[in-house]
Structures are given as structure tokens and as C-alpha cells.
Amino acid sequence: MEDKKRTKRELTSAYKQKPEEGGVFLIRNTITGKVLLDATPNLAGQKNRFEFAKATKSCIHKKLEKDWKEYGTDAFEFEVLEELKQTESQTSGDFAEDIKTLKEIWEEKIEETGRY
């Protein structure tokens, strides 16, 4: 029993020490071409939330709600624009700042007229 507890603690510790993979992503309306640009410190989690929202037909973001209902969930796709891995020396706050800066760079690249 003690071995199971130790293994669980070790696995939990390893998970917590695993560097995050964040980045900038789009949710694209394939019918209208409009995009929602956003960033997250956890790309895998955000992609999972998007897939869950599609599977349950629940809108993932307030800005998309009207088109989500009008065109249906199949009209939307998730696209990663740029990934960023957290370094061992970065704090969560520093990593979040880097993600924010990366998003600002992408905001300049993507025309505002085609965004939600």
C-alpha cells in the first residue's frame, strides 16, 4: 500500500513539474472566414475544451454564440498559430506575460475586420 502512495506522489510531482505548452490559437468559422484570436498557457486544455464544446453543441465563447447557433458546430475549427514552451527558469507569471506578448504580435498580423 505504501508503494502505491509513493508512486502516486511521484506521478503527481512529475506532472506539476512538467513545463506548460501554451500559445496563440484561432477558432475559425469556415463558412464566413471570421476568426476568434486568443492565447492560453495550456494549448492542450484549450483544444480539449473546444472539442468538448463541439461534441455537446455548447458554445465555447460568447463572441461566437450567434454564429455558433446559426452555422452549427461543424462550421468551426481550432487552429494553433504558434506554440511556446515554458522554460524551467520561467515562473507561471513570466510565462503568462510571454503568451500575452505573443498574442499581441499575432493581433497585428491578423486584420481586425475578419475577427470576432
Side-chain angles (χ1 to χ4, degrees):
M1 188 67 150
E2 186 62 38
D3 286 339
K4 282 186 178 182
K5 286 183 181 179
R6 187 173 339 149
T7 302
K8 187 175 179 180
R9 268 187 258 133
E10 289 169 358
L11 288 172
T12 302
S13 177
Y15 175 79
K16 287 180 179 179
Q17 291 176 5
K18 186 180 102 179
E20 289 284 340
E21 291 185 20
V24 179
F25 65 93
L26 292 176
I27 296 177
R28 181 183 310 277
N29 182 326
T30 59
I31 295 172
T32 66
K34 288 178 75 174
V35 297
L36 175 74
L37 175 71
D38 208 350
T40 180
N42 182 346
L43 274 173
Q46 187 64 46
K47 174 115 172 98
N48 287 341
R49 280 188 286 283
F50 175 77
E51 294 300 332
F52 180 78
K54 284 185 73 168
T56 60
K57 305 214 183 302
S58 59
C59 188
I60 192 167
H61 198 285
K62 190 83 170 152
K63 289 182 179 181
L64 302 174
E65 200 166 24
K66 180 180 176 281
D67 285 356
W68 194 272
K69 288 178 183 176
E70 183 175 342
Y71 300 111
T73 59
D74 289 338
F76 293 87
E77 63 186 17
F78 186 92
E79 178 184 340
V80 175
L81 296 175
E82 193 166 346
E83 293 181 46
L84 187 64
K85 286 189 179 185
Q86 183 178 8
T87 63
E88 289 182 24
S89 61
Q90 265 183 323
T91 66
S92 294
D94 290 341
F95 186 58
E97 275 300 311
D98 288 350
I99 295 290
K100 181 181 172 187
T101 301
L102 195 59
K103 181 183 177 190
E104 290 169 356
I105 291 168
W106 276 98
E107 284 174 335
E108 292 176 9
K109 292 180 182 182
I110 297 177
E111 288 186 43
E112 198 166 313
T113 55
R115 288 193 268 161
Y116 282 99

